[in-house]
Amino acid sequence: MELTDIIKAENIVSQKSKLITENVMHYCPGCTHGVVHKLLAEIIEELDIQEKTIGVSPVGCAVFAYNYLDIDWSQAAHGRAPAVATAISRLQPEKYVFTYQGDGDLASIGCAEIMHACNRGENIVVIFVNNAIYGMTGGQMSPTTLLGQVTSTTPHGRDEKLNGFPIKITELLAQLDGTCYVTRQSADTPGAIRKTKKAITKAFQNTRLAKGVSIVEIVGTCSSGWKMSPVASNEWMREHMFKKYPIGDIKDI
Amino acid sequence: MAKFRGAIVVDTESCKGCNLCVVACPTHVIELNTDVNGKGYHYSYMKNPTSCIGCANCGLVCPDSVITVYKKAIDK
């Protein structure tokens, strides 16, 4: 069988989602954001909710998410995506509203907003990409940076006496009564990506059940901030990040 | 023998050469090209096209959605 026999439109099993725009993503090679964007595009396409989905992009690398996914977007001030999403979901309850946040955005400056949005049980989905570093601004320590991890503001490694301990913010949010589905996934292997896709799909479907906030944390990499190759970053993440941030469902009611 | 043959087409100008597809490929089909694209990245390509089974793992892990995967059953 020749390649020309295989490469035909009817034999396609995987291709770029129609919801991903032609803009070339500004993310570094191997960035987890690209995979999560792709999953969101595929899920929104499969659920056929392109016209009903409104995303709120954060401050951080993913601030330009509105350039890459062909849905309605709003852009919030640093950490305030859950507050903006609250307003959107209350004014337009028939829509699917999600926030897309990083660890610096959600766990640091936006800690109050996410806590109270979860406590109020707003009908939103929170996509939380945790790569344990402030990627966009040059790799500074974030609340979820691991103990001993070297960043540009902790050149000798994070020290708990000076910098405190890493926050497991997702576990904290799971304790609030306003959350209905809290899970932690990753996007490093094909199997993990399939599980993440299922988790995000479930989170979007929860929107119609109006049970409260659905949070999907995705443990990701920042190969530029960590100063490793994308493949080495994934290995480092499996070895170190998964110990502190174990994968799996935390809450599902 | 594999029951399926596969093939990939890479959008070479958009590929950033992150190497994730090379690692994800179970049959070691994909390699990074020694040549570079317009942005200076070593883009991925099918080094061993006959081994491809069309599993689409590469398409799944690609952060920039540059890989289109084709799969066809082998005629008996």
Side-chain angles (χ1 to χ4, degrees), chain B residues 2-7 26-27 29 49-56 69-72:
Chain B
K3 292 175 181 166
F4 291 95
R5 275 284 308 274
T27 52
V29 172
T50 50
S51 302
C52 184
I53 53 171
C55 70
V69 185
Y70 301 82
K71 182 180 185 180
K72 192 176 184 193

Side-chain angles (χ1 to χ4, degrees), chain A residues 8 11 13-14 25 27 38, chain B residues 16 59-60 62-63 69-71:
Chain A
K8 283 180 182 167
N11 295 333
V13 287
S14 169
M25 292 192 189
Y27 303 120
K38 180 176 65 179
Chain B
K16 293 176 183 166
L60 204 57
C62 178
V69 185
Y70 301 82
K71 182 180 185 180

